[in-house]
Amino acid sequence: MLYFINVILPIPVENTFTYRVSETEYAFIQLGMRVAVPFGKSKVYASIVKAKHTEAPTIYEAKEIHQILDEHPIVTQKQLKFWSWISSYYMCTEGEVMRAALPKAFMLESETVIKLKSDGFVIDELELKDDEYLIYEALQSKSELKVQEVMEILDTKKILPSIQYLIDQGAVEMQEEIYEKYIPKLVKFITLSSDYEGEHTFNKLLEDLSRAPKQREMVLSFFSLKAKTNKPISSKELQKVSGATTVQLNALIKKGVFQIYEKQQDRVGYEGEVYITKTLNNHQELAYNEIKTQFEVKDVVLLHGVTASGKTEIYVQIIEELLAQKKGQILYLLPEIALTTQLISRLQIYFGEKVAIFHSKYSVNERVEVWNNVLKKYDKAQVIIGARSALLLPFQDLQFIVVDEEHESSFKQYDPAPRYQARDSAIVLAAMFKAKVLLGSATPSLESIYNVQTNKYGCVQLKHRHGNILLPDINLVDIKEKMKKREMTGHFSDTLLRAITDALELGEQVILFQNRRGFSPILECTTCGHAPQCPNCDVSLTYHKYRAQLRCHYCGYNIALQKKCLACGSSELTTKGFGTEQIEAELKELYPDRVISRMDSDTTRGKYGFEKLITAFEQEQIDILVGTQMLTKGLDFRNVSLVGIMNADSMLNFPDFRAHERSYQLIAQVSGRAGRTEKQGKVLVQTYNPYHQILQQVSANKFDEMIKEQLEERHTFKYPPFYRLIRVSLKHRDYQKIEEASIWLAKALKQTLGSEAVLGPETPSIARIRNQYRRNVMIKINRTQNLSQTKKAVKRVVTSFNAISQYRSVRLIIDVDCY
């Protein structure tokens, strides 16, 4: 009987592939294990086993697997089921889901190496050409050469003819070597030799070491540390306490005084003290009890609590209760890595080593360790905090999911595939485990509100701030009027400057929000009006003053700052618009004796970039913090009394059906950073249009009114939550080809789904990115329609499109729930 396995390959192919295995391998292999398989002519991939069977493929002959890579599965059955759902719902391949889910260390690299044949064959070196001789000579001194090394030896990329000749002559052979990238962290620990454990021998040892004071000090330090703790003593810790060097430590090991051993240790851990959780106030207690009651009848509950109402303390209380009952694993999802840095320290104070962290700023090895801890259901991974990628971890017994700031657009993955919505996917994952989901937000999304209204979700409201602090006082500043009266200093109104000065004099901190990084979005010539454009994208280059360069925020293209206009040669250059960098520069001139910092993606690139800034601001080392929307999301700063929003209009005028909803959420969230202790906070919103409906609603805290109006508009114009959206994007370097292709695709979709259901093709606001022209076709699906049937119809059209030879080079991207 022949035995086969189906595997998921980490490449964007629709189907799984079948490979042949021996009877022994078939008995050993379990679903979720990795196996290295040959694919194509020369590639080897680490794939995941999805199925075992005895049916041979009919279309192609099954190849044999290369090798089994695991002793135990690294992916669970439920994970495979979840991957399958993501693939089906978000119209991507399981290979793309696998690539997003697995840490890169599990995606083993295959690399071609050249070796001398082991049969003792000797070639006549005189018959070899120069290149062939160089390769053969290098292999005499080195057992194997990688392809890259051969290229470096020959100083050319054309190496295959030379290698092929040596293979034909029987001198060398080519192999695919597989390299695993995960390296466990090994820590050296010290223990005293059993020869010196007695009092007599110990005293003799100290006498013998009287002429080596540093070594003697090290022995005494060892006993001092041992008296304080029962934990193993690391060599690093011993050297730090005794002030000795590695040479002195090695001397004691050589003398047989100390023995050294290695132990594997996680790279991320917690060694601080653990404190009891805070007691909930009356309002929090009522909300907590109501959530528990709602969970008896609903699987998903929305906690709608105003900013600073203490939602996190309620999450902590639920987590504590579940941990006490030993009820499985808990996932705490956050939209931004910036948020995790502050929350981690809060949760670790309560739950210590039970907290694990998983996000993209962690190294590959750190992520592998968290993955293994979750997979093996260790105590050190009972509470997992992370951004959206944490949803793809191999949970064994998931009981509870918290989705904090559930309204945030950061929960949606836009590029690359899978383009999943982490909040919605979390609800599906919870259903697979029969777990409960708690969504939390001060400004919930329209989708969640609609699901509450249709009785799909439960809802609990928390309308009082912690300590009964008043909600911040939001005032609108008309900068058009201020400009007429000449009451502006740079980009600051006299009202905002007066408020900043007052706050600083009282020893309070200030947050200023501007949702654009860089110094200025446009550098313009005042003589001819020319503004430098990105050669790869249809956008102007943003001026970054601290780097003295112009940068494209879409493709990364950059040039040095031009002293003269590139078009007319004039040196009369001026900036238009402003970003966080310009606000920071203006503040440093206005308040030279104050500490001013900036928080955007330029200043938080490093692993601990967020942590350093947030910690410094929490410890009141920074007086004014200027930032982008990173600042708006759930951060808790106790001494901030004033928040300034530099320009609210750029958010309101964004070409998106969600612009008004997101503007309200953003302003309300950033306002919530002010006045989180006894004193009422103050918020100043600078705008050219203070009578705009959304600004009036947010200043008066009329969230329900905004929701009602936006839902009516969405219903009228057929947008979510009443309709689902699927966007099909087309990309190509040829403008004419993409124009023709998008017209053909839209026409085919309209014939299949009806002309009312399909919008476009239309050109997005930025028509070209990275030299690729873009077109969009939007599909609107009524909630009463069968979604899976509609997706199948879309896939059929896409298959037909790809079958047309002249359109095959056009790249199609399908984004389900693209809002």
Side-chain angles (χ1 to χ4, degrees):
M1 186 185 283
L2 294 174
Y3 298 94
F4 301 94
I5 57 168
N6 287 359
V7 300
I8 303 168
L9 289 162
I11 50 175
V13 288
E14 285 291 328
N15 304 322
T16 55
F17 280 80
T18 304
Y19 287 86
R20 195 168 71 247
V21 291
S22 67
E23 188 177 350
T24 312
E25 286 171 332
Y26 186 83
F28 179 79
I29 288 171
Q30 297 176 54
L31 304 190
M33 277 185 175
R34 287 174 306 161
V35 291
V37 296
F39 187 77
K41 288 182 180 177
S42 61
K43 289 180 180 173
V44 173
Y45 285 110
S47 59
I48 295 288
V49 179
K50 190 184 179 183
K52 293 163 64 178
H53 58 89
T54 54
E55 293 174 23
T58 53
I59 300 165
Y60 56 90
E61 189 181 341
K63 294 179 184 177
E64 288 187 0
I65 66 166
H66 196 288
Q67 67 187 88
I68 300 168
L69 298 169
D70 298 310
E71 290 184 16
H72 305 284
I74 64 157
V75 174
T76 67
Q77 295 291 302
K78 282 207 168 89
Q79 246 184 318
L80 289 171
K81 188 181 172 186
F82 187 50
W83 286 7
S84 185
W85 177 83
I86 290 178
S87 165
S88 168
Y89 185 84
Y90 291 103
M91 297 178 77
C92 60
T93 66
E94 287 185 73
E96 288 169 320
V97 183
M98 172 189 169
R99 187 165 278 281
L102 291 183
K104 282 191 172 66
F106 288 144
M107 313 293 283
L108 298 190
E109 286 184 333
S110 73
E111 197 162 347
T112 306
V113 294
I114 298 103
K115 293 182 176 181
L116 283 175
K117 276 210 167 177
S118 56
D119 57 6
F121 176 82
V122 179
I123 196 168
D124 185 356
E125 294 179 5
L126 295 172
E127 292 181 9
L128 299 177
K129 293 177 185 174
D130 289 348
D131 286 356
E132 293 155 4
Y133 177 75
L134 285 170
I135 298 168
Y136 190 68
E137 187 185 40
L139 285 168
Q140 300 297 324
S141 55
K142 201 172 180 181
S143 61
E144 60 182 47
L145 288 172
K146 294 175 186 173
V147 168
Q148 189 62 40
E149 289 172 324
V150 177
M151 287 180 185
E152 287 166 12
I153 290 166
L154 302 184
D155 196 24
T156 178
K157 289 186 177 179
K158 293 180 180 177
I159 61 167
L160 288 177
S162 304
I163 294 169
Q164 194 59 51
Y165 179 79
L166 290 169
I167 292 168
D168 293 342
Q169 294 300 311
V172 302
E173 59 185 354
M174 287 177 77
Q175 290 181 359
E176 283 287 336
E177 291 287 326
I178 295 179
Y179 299 93
E180 188 151 8
K181 290 186 256 182
Y182 171 60
I183 303 159
K185 183 185 178 183
L186 296 171
V187 179
K188 290 179 180 177
F189 288 96
I190 301 291
T191 183
L192 190 72
S193 173
S194 56
D195 297 342
Y196 298 100
E197 284 182 349
E199 193 177 330
H200 174 69
T201 51
F202 177 65
N203 290 332
K204 190 176 182 306
L205 172 65
L206 293 178
E207 278 177 36
D208 293 344
L209 294 175
S210 57
R211 289 185 182 181
K214 276 287 178 186
Q215 291 179 24
R216 192 172 187 272
E217 180 64 33
M218 192 175 259
V219 172
L220 291 168
S221 297
F222 176 83
F223 276 93
S224 174
L225 283 169
K226 204 171 181 185
K228 286 179 186 174
T229 177
N230 291 322
K231 291 180 182 177
I233 297 160
S234 71
S235 58
K236 202 173 181 181
E237 188 183 6
L238 181 58
Q239 283 176 246
K240 189 180 176 182
V241 171
S242 62
T245 63
T246 309
V247 175
Q248 288 150 355
L249 175 62
N250 288 338
L252 286 169
I253 293 165
K254 204 171 182 182
K255 287 176 183 176
V257 176
F258 285 145
Q259 289 176 342
I260 197 159
Y261 66 96
E262 288 184 328
K263 196 175 175 184
Q264 191 174 325
Q265 196 175 77
D266 283 0
R267 287 168 170 82
V268 182
Y270 179 71
E271 294 178 356
E273 291 184 50
V274 178
Y275 299 89
I276 58 166
T277 54
K278 292 178 184 176
T279 308
L280 301 181
N281 64 30
N282 292 338
H283 302 297
Q284 289 171 322
E285 191 71 46
L286 280 168
Y288 170 70
N289 291 327
E290 200 178 332
I291 289 166
K292 285 171 72 178
T293 307
Q294 293 262 10
F295 274 144
E296 290 173 13
V297 288
K298 302 281 183 190
D299 291 328
V300 184
V301 174
L302 172 68
L303 175 59
H304 181 188
V306 295
T307 53
S309 57
K311 294 186 289 295
T312 308
E313 297 306 328
I314 294 173
Y315 306 151
V316 165
Q317 200 74 31
I318 296 169
I319 291 167
E320 186 181 40
E321 190 178 316
L322 290 169
L323 289 176
Q325 295 168 8
K326 296 187 177 174
K327 280 199 170 178
Q329 295 163 313
I330 296 152
L331 175 61
Y332 196 129
L333 278 183
L334 291 157
E336 282 275 2
I337 296 165
L339 265 177
T340 62
T341 55
Q342 194 178 49
L343 187 76
I344 287 160
S345 55
R346 287 173 75 178
L347 289 193
Q348 281 180 331
I349 284 169
Y350 300 139
F351 307 122
E353 280 191 343
K354 293 173 183 174
V355 177
I357 306 109
F358 190 87
H359 58 65
S360 59
K361 288 275 178 174
Y362 273 47
S363 71
V364 169
N365 289 327
E366 286 167 343
R367 277 183 274 172
V368 168
E369 282 164 5
V370 175
W371 181 282
N372 288 332
N373 291 341
V374 173
L375 180 66
K376 292 165 186 172
K377 207 183 166 188
Y378 287 157
D379 286 350
K380 60 179 86 170
Q382 286 179 271
V383 181
I384 299 99
I385 306 173
R388 59 176 178 258
S389 57
L391 192 68
L392 302 171
L393 284 166
F395 298 103
Q396 293 282 5
D397 183 19
L398 189 62
Q399 289 294 317
F400 183 57
I401 301 177
V402 176
V403 184
D404 202 6
E405 309 296 340
E406 64 83 28
H407 65 278
E408 274 297 335
S409 57
S410 310
F411 278 124
K412 171 71 174 161
Q413 165 80 3
Y414 289 104
D415 217 37
R419 295 171 177 82
Y420 65 103
Q421 221 295 352
R423 177 198 62 212
D424 299 346
S425 302
I427 292 165
V428 174
L429 181 66
M432 289 179 182
F433 281 93
K434 294 185 170 57
K436 302 294 182 185
V437 182
L438 182 60
L439 309 175
S441 177
T443 52
S445 63
L446 259 71
E447 284 74 32
S448 295
I449 294 287
Y450 177 74
N451 284 326
V452 168
Q453 290 177 357
T454 53
N455 211 28
K456 194 176 175 182
Y457 297 171
C459 183
V460 175
Q461 295 208 331
L462 191 57
K463 295 182 178 178
H464 300 270
R465 286 185 129 198
H466 193 72
N468 289 322
I469 313 153
L470 292 170
L471 281 164
D473 180 25
I474 302 173
N475 294 297
L476 305 176
V477 180
D478 187 347
I479 47 178
K480 187 166 68 177
E481 192 66 30
K482 294 285 182 188
M483 279 178 169
K484 281 182 187 174
K485 293 179 180 178
R486 298 191 176 179
E487 291 174 346
M488 295 289 290
T489 306
H491 294 96
F492 293 86
S493 62
D494 61 333
T495 312
L496 181 54
L497 282 177
R498 199 160 48 243
I500 293 170
T501 307
D502 291 347
L504 294 175
E505 282 175 358
L506 290 167
E508 294 161 351
Q509 291 170 292
V510 178
I511 284 176
L512 294 176
F513 170 72
Q514 170 60 11
N515 206 17
R516 187 186 286 276
R517 65 190 172 99
F519 188 85
S520 169
I522 299 168
L523 184 75
E524 190 179 76
C525 172
T526 54
T527 307
C528 70
H530 172 76
Q533 299 284 308
C534 174
N536 309 318
C537 313
D538 285 347
V539 292
S540 59
L541 294 172
T542 302
Y543 171 36
H544 285 252
K545 192 174 183 179
Y546 82 107
R547 285 182 177 173
Q549 65 177 206
L550 300 171
R551 288 185 71 84
C552 173
H553 286 179
Y554 287 86
C555 70
Y557 171 84
N558 62 81
I559 56 171
L561 176 65
Q562 305 300 302
K563 301 295 180 187
K564 290 184 177 181
C565 174
L566 295 170
C568 70
S570 168
S571 57
E572 297 293 317
L573 301 174
T574 187
T575 58
K576 290 279 179 77
F578 62 99
T580 50
E581 204 184 324
Q582 192 167 347
I583 298 301
E584 183 190 24
E586 286 183 15
L587 282 167
K588 283 179 177 174
E589 284 183 19
L590 291 164
Y591 301 98
D593 55 336
R594 296 290 183 173
V595 181
I596 296 149
S597 285
R598 176 163 50 94
M599 187 177 175
D600 55 32
S601 55
D602 291 327
T603 60
T604 56
R605 289 196 188 279
K607 181 176 176 180
Y608 299 108
F610 293 111
E611 202 172 325
K612 285 173 186 171
L613 265 173
I614 289 167
T615 304
F617 197 62
E618 274 181 327
Q619 293 172 355
E620 298 178 26
Q621 295 167 16
I622 298 168
D623 297 310
I624 305 173
L625 186 60
V626 183
T628 55
Q629 61 183 23
M630 290 178 186
L631 282 172
T632 66
K633 301 166 187 175
L635 294 166
D636 186 17
F637 302 120
R638 314 304 294 171
N639 196 38
V640 174
S641 64
L642 174 68
V643 166
I645 296 167
M646 299 305 298
N647 184 5
D649 305 304
S650 59
M651 298 180 280
L652 290 164
N653 300 327
F654 196 75
D656 180 10
F657 74 92
R658 283 184 167 276
H660 287 179
E661 179 197 355
R662 286 201 175 134
S663 298
Y664 187 104
Q665 288 166 342
L666 211 53
I667 295 167
Q669 288 287 343
V670 77
S671 301
R673 302 315 109 213
R676 295 176 77 92
T677 48
E678 295 84 20
K679 187 178 174 183
Q680 185 183 17
K682 190 174 184 180
V683 181
L684 293 174
V685 182
Q686 294 192 155
T687 173
Y688 286 96
N689 185 9
Y691 301 106
H692 193 288
Q693 198 172 9
I694 289 293
L695 296 179
Q696 288 293 322
Q697 286 167 346
V698 77
S699 63
N701 287 310
K702 293 182 178 177
F703 180 74
D704 293 340
E705 188 181 298
M706 183 276 292
I707 288 289
K708 187 183 175 187
E709 283 181 10
Q710 291 300 310
L711 282 172
E712 283 173 4
E713 269 188 35
R714 300 274 180 90
H715 188 267
T716 305
F717 297 106
K718 298 180 180 178
Y719 276 106
F722 304 99
Y723 280 69
R724 295 184 190 274
L725 296 184
I726 299 176
R727 182 175 60 216
V728 184
S729 300
L730 300 91
K731 291 184 180 181
H732 199 270
R733 296 175 79 89
D734 186 333
Y735 179 83
Q736 193 62 41
K737 186 169 277 190
I738 199 169
E739 190 75 22
E740 290 170 11
S742 60
I743 290 167
W744 186 97
L745 183 70
K747 194 175 178 182
L749 285 168
K750 283 173 183 174
Q751 285 173 352
T752 308
L753 303 172
S755 55
E756 283 187 5
V758 181
L759 302 178
E762 57 93 30
T763 306
S765 52
I766 299 165
R768 183 174 59 105
I769 293 176
R770 293 187 176 89
N771 276 324
Q772 300 266 339
Y773 289 98
R774 301 157 75 220
R775 290 287 182 279
N776 290 337
V777 177
M778 190 73 80
I779 302 163
K780 289 185 175 182
I781 305 166
N782 196 322
R783 290 271 173 180
T784 56
Q785 275 178 256
N786 187 315
L787 186 63
S788 60
Q789 291 299 321
T790 306
K791 284 179 184 174
K792 281 176 186 173
V794 172
K795 277 197 171 181
R796 282 197 298 271
V797 172
V798 168
T799 305
S800 303
F801 177 88
N802 289 329
I804 302 168
S805 57
Q806 68 259 38
Y807 298 152
R808 206 166 287 155
S809 58
V810 177
R811 189 177 167 216
L812 286 186
I813 295 165
I814 302 172
D815 192 353
V816 179
D817 295 346
C818 54
Y819 41 86

